[in-house]
Amino acid sequence: METTRYDELRTLVAANFSETTQRLVDEALAYAAECLEKQVRYDGSPLLDHAAGVARIVISEIGLGRNSTLAAILHDVVRLAACGEAGDLMGVTSEIRRRFGDEVLGITVGLSNISKIRLKVSKEQAANFRDLIVSYSEDPRVILIKLADRLEVMRNLRMFPREKWRKKSWESMNLYAQIAHKLGLYSIKSELEDIALSYLEPAEYEHIHRKLEETERERQTFIDRFLAPIVERLDRQGFNYHVKSRTKSIFSIWTKMHKQHVPFEGVYDIFALRIILDCPPEEEKTQCWAVYSIVTDYYIPNTERLRDWISIPKSNGYESLHTTVSAGDGRWVEIQIRTERMDAVAERGIAAHWRYKGVNQGALTSEMWLGRLRELMENTPHALAQRFDSRPSSGEIFVFTPNGDLRKLPEGATVLDFAFDIHSNLGCSCSGGKINGRAVPIKETLHNGDIVEILTQKNQTPKADWLSAVKTAKARSKIKAFIREEQAKSARLGREELERKLKNWKFGLTIDEAVGYLCKYYKLKAGTELYGLIATEKIDLATVKEILTRWQSGEADEERRAAAAAAEQAKLQNAAARPAHSADALVIDDNINQIEYKLAKCCNPIKGDDIFGFVTISSGITIHRTDCPNARRMRENYPYRVIDARWRQTAEGAFRVTIRIVAADTTGMANHITETVIRDLKLNIRSMNLASRGGLLTGTVDVEVPATSVVDTLVHAILRIKGVQKAFRTNG
């Protein structure tokens, strides 16, 4: 290794770190040079030049400490060892751990993992790729060093083969610049975007660059004239400050031109003025607002454009006071008012706060700002969250299709979830898969970064037990829909088959009578269940003929009467004594494996009502209240169709209850009722039908309630309204 080649880095390290750190940096440079001895960049320079360049950015432009600097120098050593191009991976990692510690090794491994990601140019999937990059950052410093790595590459992109220019520029603009923005690294964000634009749209980039140069003198003259009264007042009042004129990045101007469909001359906020105060921390807010007052004494502000990020900083730590004022002739000028500390954070992110305060790079400082970074990353949209246990803290994973498309799934998702996420037909015919080339069953759990291929079979169809093998709502709903469709198809076929046989047998029975008895005989809950068993030949029609023959000839009459009487007696005893329900009672919940049921419209049962089930011939089971007007008729005429039913304690849902109301016909009565139900009780009104007659307002209100326990509260609340004479629940 040339002794002078990396003097710039050594000088930077000497200015920021202790002698111990300087010795470790020299050792890291020597070790990396040894490992990367034969590795060169596209222009023939040593690959270590890249690592040294990344380390310089890490120190001077992001403000990271010793371990991050060492990891930046060593990251290519681990990356190339991992892909078998430079040394043995196990030997390399052991050596780095021995010389520089677990923390440095962990960061380098994280950087190596990001390098393995096969990024794909896809605008639609950019957000997912950004999330995936961050999800590999087990230590938040990993993503910061990766940004430095990408910035160094973009600054030297000209040396890369031309075919790599567009892909790396697209990644920088759509992935890395957006991550930098979320972390408050605005300077890095703008530079990445500008360089990327110069490669992606070179003609437009050069046009804007040329226009900026041509208008620079005119712009500076305008700025001097605009600032003159403000500067005079600031000086007179003794503020310690300086002014920056910041021209918008070329990318920002280009974006505005395209969004607003205007030429360069149509972009009026080409520049922003920044007034930066040097003052004690306790005076920051006071002085910033005092300067705002001075500015608005001379120029009229657009109050809709005032942004106060001093009182409430942005989530990424950004603090500044922004105002846009009129300079006359239709020109508007943006002014940013902040302190030196705020400006440092705005330029270089949250690490700059500690660097600016002059605190050394000890463990406490590192932990303080890294803690702030962790908090920021956890609260940033699009799941920009670090992970410390090899999985995204957001509960999501990112997996690839064989052609490089990225899919986002919940943690714990399986091969079957992935298949349904791609397409419903693929999910329905899924017979297994391959994860990273390894054959696996449909229930295999996926992990972050897996490459997944789905295997199918022509005759494969969803099964009920698939529901336990999926995590996503999409897969679950598709499986349920398929099963319901198959059950309905089987039920139709079974009913048609039974109807044909009954006609051939000439029993003189209606299908309703036959199905009612057969359900009782086989202890089935619904006719649809009987039809399904017939369609799948699990019930033999020859046996059915024998059963119906015996029943019609009277051999089974005594048995039928005894069973019906016993069932009726048990129900009467239950109604009187209200014991705990038997295990055989129909439990009302939303499990697909239970039989289908409907809530009867004649009595509108809700959770908490005493209920029973009635087996219909073609519509499954209807659930009625025990005090339903039709209950007596059903029990007397069809006792063998009546079954016990109860609500599951955990059953949830919105049930409709009808409240009949009689009230004085006073002004606003309907509004009072509506406000009581919606605002006070937080319930939903489904319909209201009130009519005025003879000075009274009468009618019904249909309300959604979670259970009977709410009905009494609802009725009581309505009765308390002045003028309401009656309020009670009806059956209809």
Side-chain angles (χ1 to χ4, degrees):
M1 183 180 69
E2 298 176 29
T3 57
T4 59
R5 191 175 187 96
Y6 306 111
D7 282 350
E8 184 181 346
L9 173 59
R10 290 191 177 92
T11 300
L12 195 58
V13 170
N16 287 276
F17 302 114
S18 66
E19 291 184 4
T20 301
T21 299
Q22 293 174 50
R23 286 196 298 272
L24 284 170
V25 166
D26 283 340
E27 184 178 349
L29 284 168
Y31 177 65
E34 177 186 337
C35 294
L36 304 175
E37 182 180 6
K38 297 179 181 179
Q39 303 294 329
V40 295
R41 307 188 80 179
Y42 289 104
D43 65 348
S45 61
L47 181 58
L48 186 55
D49 285 5
H50 164 67
V54 174
R56 289 198 300 272
I57 296 171
V58 161
I59 298 168
S60 62
E61 299 183 49
I62 299 181
L64 295 176
R66 180 184 69 195
N67 288 335
S68 299
T69 303
L70 295 172
I73 294 170
L74 298 166
H75 78 278
D76 277 332
V77 174
V78 175
R79 177 179 64 84
L80 292 176
C83 59
E85 294 183 27
D88 170 60
L89 179 60
M90 185 173 294
V92 165
T93 54
S94 297
E95 187 67 8
I96 291 176
R97 177 184 284 113
R98 184 183 69 81
R99 292 192 184 194
F100 308 105
D102 286 334
E103 204 167 314
V104 172
L105 176 62
I107 296 172
T108 60
V109 170
L111 289 164
S112 175
N113 288 337
I114 293 178
S115 298
K116 295 176 186 176
I117 298 174
R118 300 191 304 166
L119 299 175
K120 186 176 183 180
V121 176
S122 170
K123 197 75 174 178
E124 295 75 20
Q125 295 189 334
N128 283 348
F129 276 113
R130 287 196 297 268
D131 295 352
L132 178 62
I133 291 169
V134 176
S135 76
Y136 273 97
S137 304
E138 299 179 11
D139 185 307
R141 286 168 289 195
V142 171
I143 196 62
L144 294 171
I145 300 171
K146 184 60 187 177
L147 289 173
D149 175 277
R150 177 46 61 114
L151 182 58
E152 199 282 337
V153 166
M154 292 304 291
R155 285 173 177 173
N156 295 281
L157 190 57
R158 192 67 59 182
M159 75 166 64
F160 283 69
R162 184 176 290 270
E163 61 267 20
K164 290 183 176 287
W165 289 1
R166 188 166 190 84
K167 185 172 188 296
K168 288 194 176 295
S169 294
W170 186 92
E171 292 170 358
S172 298
M173 180 182 291
N174 293 282
L175 307 180
Y176 293 105
Q178 301 308 309
I179 294 172
H181 176 78
K182 297 297 183 186
L183 299 179
L185 298 167
Y186 297 119
S187 180
I188 291 177
K189 167 191 178 290
S190 295
E191 188 174 352
L192 285 174
E193 288 173 335
D194 276 3
I195 298 174
L197 184 65
S198 72
Y199 284 92
L200 294 172
E201 302 290 346
E204 294 188 52
Y205 176 90
E206 284 302 325
H207 170 72
I208 297 172
H209 185 266
R210 187 174 63 255
K211 285 286 188 180
L212 285 173
E213 288 184 336
E214 291 172 357
T215 57
E216 184 176 5
R217 179 174 294 181
E218 175 194 344
R219 196 162 52 249
Q220 191 57 52
T221 301
F222 172 82
I223 290 171
D224 292 342
R225 185 172 66 251
F226 175 87
L227 281 174
I230 298 173
V231 169
E232 188 275 331
R233 181 89 167 270
L234 291 173
D235 290 342
R236 179 154 39 91
Q237 294 192 9
F239 284 95
N240 189 8
Y241 72 98
H242 69 277
V243 179
K244 281 184 184 178
S245 173
R246 181 188 62 84
T247 303
K248 269 186 180 294
S249 70
I250 294 178
F251 176 81
S252 295
I253 297 171
W254 176 80
T255 301
K256 184 154 288 191
M257 287 168 60
H258 280 263
K259 281 185 177 179
Q260 298 179 356
H261 304 289
V262 296
F264 176 87
E265 291 75 15
V267 180
Y268 291 109
D269 52 347
I270 293 291
F271 65 90
L273 297 175
R274 193 174 292 164
I275 301 174
I276 302 169
L277 298 160
D278 189 1
C279 65
E282 63 273 12
E283 295 182 18
E284 287 185 335
K285 290 184 182 179
T286 303
Q287 288 203 21
C288 286
W289 282 108
V291 172
Y292 172 81
S293 178
I294 291 172
V295 171
T296 54
D297 280 347
Y298 292 103
Y299 301 104
I300 299 173
N302 181 343
T303 54
E304 294 182 0
R305 297 291 301 274
L306 176 64
R307 300 291 182 266
D308 177 12
W309 287 305
I310 292 178
S311 301
I312 304 177
K314 286 187 178 182
S315 61
N316 58 19
Y318 180 84
E319 297 174 83
S320 190
L321 187 60
H322 291 198
T323 184
T324 302
V325 299
S326 173
D329 299 325
R331 298 191 69 167
W332 293 89
V333 178
E334 180 185 335
I335 298 179
Q336 302 169 358
I337 304 167
R338 59 178 67 157
T339 65
E340 295 281 3
R341 177 190 63 81
M342 296 174 188
D343 192 56
V345 173
E347 289 296 316
R348 289 170 37 207
I350 58 176
H353 171 70
W354 307 107
R355 302 276 292 182
Y356 172 76
K357 299 299 287 184
V359 185
N360 63 29
Q361 292 294 304
L364 178 61
T365 298
S366 175
E367 284 305 310
M368 289 173 73
W369 84 257
L370 279 174
R372 179 73 180 277
L373 176 60
R374 290 187 185 101
E375 180 183 352
L376 162 67
M377 295 175 82
E378 287 169 352
N379 295 327
T380 299
H382 305 302
L384 285 178
Q386 90 293 349
R387 57 180 197 159
F388 295 93
D389 57 356
S390 300
R391 63 178 186 237
S393 62
S394 60
E396 295 174 335
I397 60 169
F398 303 90
V399 293
F400 293 92
T401 65
N403 66 355
D405 288 329
L406 186 63
R407 316 295 291 201
K408 179 164 65 175
L409 295 168
E411 188 179 0
T414 63
V415 168
L416 198 53
D417 283 302
F418 180 84
F420 276 104
D421 190 67
I422 299 296
H423 196 279
S424 299
N425 291 340
L426 191 66
C428 288
S429 59
C430 177
S431 60
K434 290 184 178 180
I435 298 179
N436 305 322
R438 176 176 57 91
V440 295
I442 60 174
K443 296 183 178 182
E444 187 77 8
T445 301
L446 305 178
H447 299 93
N448 219 34
D450 281 344
I451 300 172
V452 186
E453 180 183 353
I454 298 301
L455 304 177
T456 61
Q457 286 184 359
K458 185 180 294 186
N459 298 326
Q460 179 73 296
T461 57
K463 312 293 191 299
D465 64 352
W466 280 20
L467 291 168
S468 63
V470 293
K471 180 85 171 180
T472 60
K474 179 179 180 180
R476 192 177 302 278
S477 66
K478 293 297 181 183
I479 295 169
K480 285 183 178 181
F482 183 89
I483 292 173
R484 281 195 296 267
E485 186 177 336
E486 289 299 302
Q487 287 175 341
K489 191 184 298 181
S490 291
R492 285 196 302 272
L493 293 173
R495 181 183 173 90
E496 290 171 2
E497 182 69 13
L498 183 59
E499 282 182 314
R500 281 197 300 271
K501 291 297 183 183
L502 287 174
K503 289 179 181 178
N504 293 338
W505 294 334
K506 303 186 186 310
F507 281 155
L509 293 172
T510 67
I511 189 166
D512 287 0
E513 291 172 330
V515 169
Y517 180 73
L518 290 170
C519 284
K520 192 71 176 177
Y521 182 89
Y522 284 109
K523 297 181 180 179
L524 303 176
K525 301 292 187 181
T528 52
E529 193 173 351
L530 174 70
Y531 301 147
L533 293 172
I534 291 173
T536 55
E537 299 182 353
K538 292 179 181 176
I539 287 182
D540 179 45
L541 284 171
T543 304
V544 168
K545 183 178 181 181
E546 291 180 11
I547 294 168
L548 293 178
T549 299
R550 288 179 55 234
W551 182 54
Q552 193 175 30
S553 66
E555 294 179 20
D557 279 357
E558 189 62 32
E559 173 193 344
R560 179 163 60 88
R561 283 196 296 273
E568 183 66 18
Q569 184 64 27
K571 288 179 177 61
L572 291 173
Q573 291 174 351
N574 284 342
R578 294 185 181 275
H581 290 279
S582 71
D584 292 332
L586 171 63
V587 179
I588 306 304
D589 61 12
D590 190 32
N591 189 329
I592 190 173
N593 293 320
Q594 298 289 338
I595 54 85
E596 295 181 3
Y597 59 83
K598 295 179 181 177
L599 301 180
K601 293 182 179 180
C602 54
C603 57
N604 286 327
I606 63 178
K607 181 185 175 184
D609 286 334
D610 290 330
I611 54 174
F612 68 91
F614 184 76
V615 181
T616 66
I617 301 305
S618 59
S619 302
I621 291 177
T622 54
I623 305 302
H624 297 259
R625 286 160 46 188
T626 54
D627 60 351
C628 174
N630 298 317
R632 182 175 179 180
R633 178 181 59 81
M634 288 186 283
R635 291 181 185 279
E636 289 178 352
N637 295 339
Y638 306 100
Y640 52 89
R641 295 194 197 173
V642 176
I643 59 176
D644 286 334
R646 61 184 171 86
W647 300 100
R648 186 181 295 280
Q649 289 298 109
T650 57
E652 296 180 354
F655 302 93
R656 187 181 65 119
V657 64
T658 301
I659 306 297
R660 176 162 288 280
I661 298 173
V662 178
D665 188 9
T666 57
T667 303
M669 176 57 74
N671 287 337
H672 291 323
I673 295 171
T674 302
E675 289 180 359
T676 297
V677 176
I678 296 176
R679 186 189 63 192
D680 299 343
L681 299 180
K682 304 294 189 296
L683 299 173
N684 292 325
I685 293 179
R686 295 295 300 274
S687 66
M688 179 181 285
N689 184 14
L690 299 176
S692 175
R693 185 176 302 167
L696 291 178
L697 200 64
T698 61
T700 58
V701 179
D702 285 358
V703 182
E704 285 185 350
V705 297
T708 51
S709 58
V710 179
V711 177
D712 290 341
T713 303
L714 172 62
V715 170
H716 181 67
I718 293 174
L719 284 170
R720 291 186 62 182
I721 300 172
K722 186 177 180 180
V724 174
Q725 299 175 7
K726 295 181 181 179
F728 54 91
R729 179 184 176 189
T730 68
N731 281 324

